[in-house]
Amino acid sequence: MTTRIIKNFIKTILVYLVLSIFFIFPVKAEGEFLVDTSVEYKVQNNGITQVTHSITLENVLSNIYATSYKLRLENINADNIKAYDNKGLLDSQTEIEADRITIKVNFDDAVVGKGQKRYFNISYNVSSFAQKTGEVWEISVPRLSDENSYKNYSVTLLIPDGFKSEAYMSPQPNYSGHVEGYKTFTFSKESVSKTGIAAGFGDFQVFSFNLIYHLENPLSKNVFVDIAVPPDTSLQRVFYEVFSPEPHNVTVDEDGNWIATFLLKSRERKDVTVKGTVQIFSDPMKYPRPTDSTLDKNMMPTQYWQSDNPKIKELALIYNTPRKIYDYVSTFLKYNYEKVKPNVVRMGALGALEEPDNAICMEFTDLFIAMARAAGIPAREINGFAYTENKEIQPLSLVADVLHSWPEYWDKEKGDWIPIDPTWASTTGGVDFFNKLDLRHFTFVIHGIDDVKPYPPGSYKLGSNPQKDVFVNFGTLPENRNAKISLSYKKDKYIPFANQNISVFVKNEGVQSEYNVIINTISDDNPNEDINIGTIPPFAQREFNVKIPFSFLATNTPKNVIVVYKDHKIVIPTSKSEVIILNLLIILIIFVIITFLLLVRLGKIKV
């Protein structure tokens, strides 16, 4: 009897050690147990995630069975931990060491025999998997650290309907559905073993911004100085609340940049403050399409996008689609965190090829653009702000105006520019920033025709110790989000016998840009040709001229010109009365002259 007790005790200890080794060093215990795990991440409306591991242990051998099981959590702050099966709670202990939690589950009965299975669950709550950043709930599910430990492994993510629609998700789920107030997404072992799951839920994100530009005119005459301010794109809408001082005008260049112009007097220095909010959307909106000429220019080689270089052209023959180029760039280049600092030297596409381990976002972007252009795909650079929790990058963006850059390529079928981020794909270990970008990228300037200009906010500095000029935070939409178009005019001084010119001014006094602005002009009751103004950003003004013809007895001269845009209308009186009076006066003078000459000829008047 004593011998049997000792043998059973030794057997129990042996099995415990084997299983412990299996979960700490799973390669050494391979083949003794088969583990199937299904993990459910059920996110609550308050952001707390209820995690449940449904585990099946299957004996491979007839003489070894499990007496305990260990689950290790890395960098996860879990609470309300419990283990249970269909009979009730199981005995469990939790060990906490640094950033690691080890949950040990003890089994008080034996499941013996080859092919026999034990079913049980481990559950806990985590508050850090779901975080609300601005207007978006962002979900992060950790990756499976050792896929070889499991025969089968799957993840189901449950998102409450209150989190609105999916903005982005990486990787794409194998299945999606809906169950009792929750959106469900299921992922395979292959999906979560590489990067885990990153997802965002919300229709849009909102950032507030405060930008400062330091301008100087060193000349002895007045000059106009241009600055680039954040523009609208198909994925973002900008609302300008403060522009101090107001610009002389705001224009839109060929790439879609908004260029604000200021008049600086001789030797004048001027600080410009621009404040507002930006609404970043998960799906593109209607936005003016670039011309074919612009798209052609976005395929040309430049100083940093050497798309005509033989090395790049050779690569473009192999990697000839945006996806292939993205995958190549994001895996070939390696991010050098030590290089992230102000005034870093830009290497360009060729430099990135020559030093692939010395890249930052500029090199990832430059190489993608050069290869895309060499493959006949229009591509361009976006320079702006990208929110990240990456501690190796984040502090610099908070204390210095070091911005982020990422590429866009033109999708002919969608008829839109598609933003991607091969840099973040590399630094996150392969999270998908190709199929859908997150809501954390805020465009400041667009570089397409030129690979350097216009300069982004944060570049307009004076002095040897420049201060920080770019401030971006999560924000809320302003109550007033409308464009406000005003119409005004100025008439040239009336000149007899000449056509009259009227200058009509169309100004946007609202906080949002107005698109497809078409002005109707009516001469009395006769419509004239419509005036297509196009896009008018906030604080921008457009001007066009209306010609009022001089005609005999004002027969072709309108009494009024009516200028209309939507519900805005101004009535501009012309000089028709003056034209009629002038015509009558001329007729009277001619009549007097003719009468006088007749009277002279008849001898009634002697000269």
Side-chain angles (χ1 to χ4, degrees), residues 224-240:
F224 285 104
V225 177
D226 293 337
I227 64 172
V229 297
D232 283 354
T233 69
S234 63
L235 288 170
Q236 73 179 34
R237 189 67 75 236
V238 185
F239 307 96
Y240 282 95

Side-chain angles (χ1 to χ4, degrees), residues 310-321 324 371 374-375:
K311 293 181 180 179
I312 292 177
K313 291 172 70 175
E314 184 177 351
L315 283 173
L317 291 174
I318 304 171
Y319 307 100
N320 54 5
T321 68
K324 290 179 181 178
M371 290 178 63

Side-chain angles (χ1 to χ4, degrees), residues 452-492:
V452 175
K453 296 179 181 178
Y455 300 117
S459 303
Y460 302 80
K461 299 183 182 295
L462 299 173
S464 57
N465 296 307
Q467 65 270 38
K468 181 172 171 57
D469 297 322
V470 175
F471 304 90
V472 180
N473 297 288
F474 291 109
T476 57
L477 289 174
E479 292 185 9
N480 175 25
R481 300 194 295 274
N482 299 319
K484 184 181 178 182
I485 300 298
S486 66
L487 303 172
S488 61
Y489 68 93
K490 179 182 178 182
K491 293 193 296 185
D492 289 354

Side-chain angles (χ1 to χ4, degrees), residues 100-168:
R100 175 188 301 173
I101 295 178
T102 302
I103 304 169
K104 179 185 177 184
V105 182
N106 300 307
F107 307 125
D108 57 6
D109 61 339
V111 176
V112 184
K114 182 178 179 180
Q116 294 298 306
K117 298 180 180 180
R118 180 188 296 278
Y119 305 93
F120 64 100
N121 305 283
I122 299 175
S123 67
Y124 49 89
N125 293 342
V126 180
S127 60
S128 59
F129 287 167
Q131 299 289 328
K132 191 171 186 182
T133 54
E135 300 292 327
V136 177
W137 278 100
E138 296 188 315
I139 314 298
S140 298
V141 173
R143 72 182 182 91
L144 176 61
S145 59
D146 189 358
E147 59 182 300
N148 294 323
S149 299
Y150 301 91
K151 175 186 175 184
N152 297 301
Y153 189 95
S154 64
V155 169
T156 299
L157 177 63
L158 283 78
I159 303 296
D161 290 340
F163 279 20
K164 297 185 178 180
S165 59
E166 173 196 340
Y168 59 89

Side-chain angles (χ1 to χ4, degrees), residues 254-255 290-299 378 417 449:
E254 193 171 351
D255 279 323
T291 64
D292 291 339
S293 173
T294 300
L295 292 175
D296 288 342
K297 294 174 184 176
N298 279 260
M299 288 192 290
W417 290 103
I449 298 173

Side-chain angles (χ1 to χ4, degrees), residues 194-492:
K194 297 177 181 178
T195 61
I197 302 168
F201 293 85
D203 296 329
F204 56 82
Q205 182 61 278
V206 178
F207 289 104
S208 64
F209 59 87
N210 181 3
L211 310 174
I212 303 170
Y213 302 75
H214 307 284
L215 310 181
E216 181 180 22
N217 175 17
L219 304 177
S220 57
K221 62 180 181 179
N222 297 348
V223 297
F224 285 104
V225 177
D226 293 337
I227 64 172
V229 297
D232 283 354
T233 69
S234 63
L235 288 170
Q236 73 179 34
R237 189 67 75 236
V238 185
F239 307 96
Y240 282 95
E241 300 164 48
V242 174
F243 226 132
S244 179
E246 283 197 19
H248 173 76
N249 204 352
V250 180
T251 56
V252 182
D253 73 8
E254 193 171 351
D255 279 323
N257 291 293
W258 289 3
I259 308 298
T261 303
F262 294 86
L263 177 63
L264 267 65
K265 298 178 181 178
S266 171
R267 315 294 183 188
E268 182 182 11
R269 284 191 172 191
K270 182 178 291 186
D271 288 344
V272 177
T273 300
V274 178
K275 296 181 181 180
T277 54
V278 60
Q279 186 178 17
I280 300 175
F281 297 93
S282 58
D283 294 310
M285 305 166 294
K286 288 185 177 180
Y287 191 73
R289 185 188 186 280
T291 64
D292 291 339
S293 173
T294 300
L295 292 175
D296 288 342
K297 294 174 184 176
N298 279 260
M299 288 192 290
M300 299 295 290
T302 67
Q303 177 184 359
Y304 295 108
W305 305 326
Q306 304 97 333
S307 56
D308 56 348
N309 181 272
K311 293 181 180 179
I312 292 177
K313 291 172 70 175
E314 184 177 351
L315 283 173
L317 291 174
I318 304 171
Y319 307 100
N320 54 5
T321 68
R323 180 78 217 203
K324 290 179 181 178
I325 300 169
Y326 168 89
D327 289 340
Y328 172 79
V329 171
S330 61
T331 55
F332 176 71
L333 300 183
K334 299 296 183 290
Y335 198 93
N336 182 0
Y337 289 94
E338 295 181 358
K339 190 178 175 183
V340 183
K341 54 188 175 182
N343 302 319
V344 66
V345 176
R346 185 175 179 179
M347 297 165 59
L350 278 179
L353 281 178
E354 294 168 358
E355 299 182 49
D357 295 336
N358 194 29
I360 60 173
C361 61
M362 289 187 298
E363 283 69 47
F364 283 85
T365 300
D366 289 345
L367 184 56
F368 178 92
I369 293 172
M371 290 178 63
R373 292 189 173 194
I377 304 166
R380 63 187 191 177
E381 179 198 36
I382 303 299
N383 204 256
F385 175 87
Y387 176 78
T388 177
E389 288 96 0
N390 190 326
K391 295 180 181 180
E392 297 184 79
I393 299 176
Q394 188 184 51
L396 189 59
S397 66
L398 294 176
V399 301
D401 297 329
V402 176
L403 304 179
H404 185 52
S405 67
W406 60 95
E408 290 184 340
Y409 70 90
W410 179 255
D411 189 306
K412 187 183 298 184
E413 293 183 1
K414 295 180 180 178
D416 203 358
W417 290 103
I418 308 299
I420 58 176
D421 198 334
T423 308
W424 281 20
S426 176
T427 57
T428 58
V431 172
D432 185 6
F433 291 100
F434 181 85
N435 286 308
K436 201 161 190 179
L437 202 58
D438 58 22
L439 300 179
R440 297 178 169 205
H441 289 66
F442 172 18
T443 298
F444 281 0
V445 296
I446 303 163
H447 294 150
I449 298 173
D450 192 296
D451 55 12
V452 175
K453 296 179 181 178
Y455 300 117
S459 303
Y460 302 80
K461 299 183 182 295
L462 299 173
S464 57
N465 296 307
Q467 65 270 38
K468 181 172 171 57
D469 297 322
V470 175
F471 304 90
V472 180
N473 297 288
F474 291 109
T476 57
L477 289 174
E479 292 185 9
N480 175 25
R481 300 194 295 274
N482 299 319
K484 184 181 178 182
I485 300 298
S486 66
L487 303 172
S488 61
Y489 68 93
K490 179 182 178 182
K491 293 193 296 185
D492 289 354

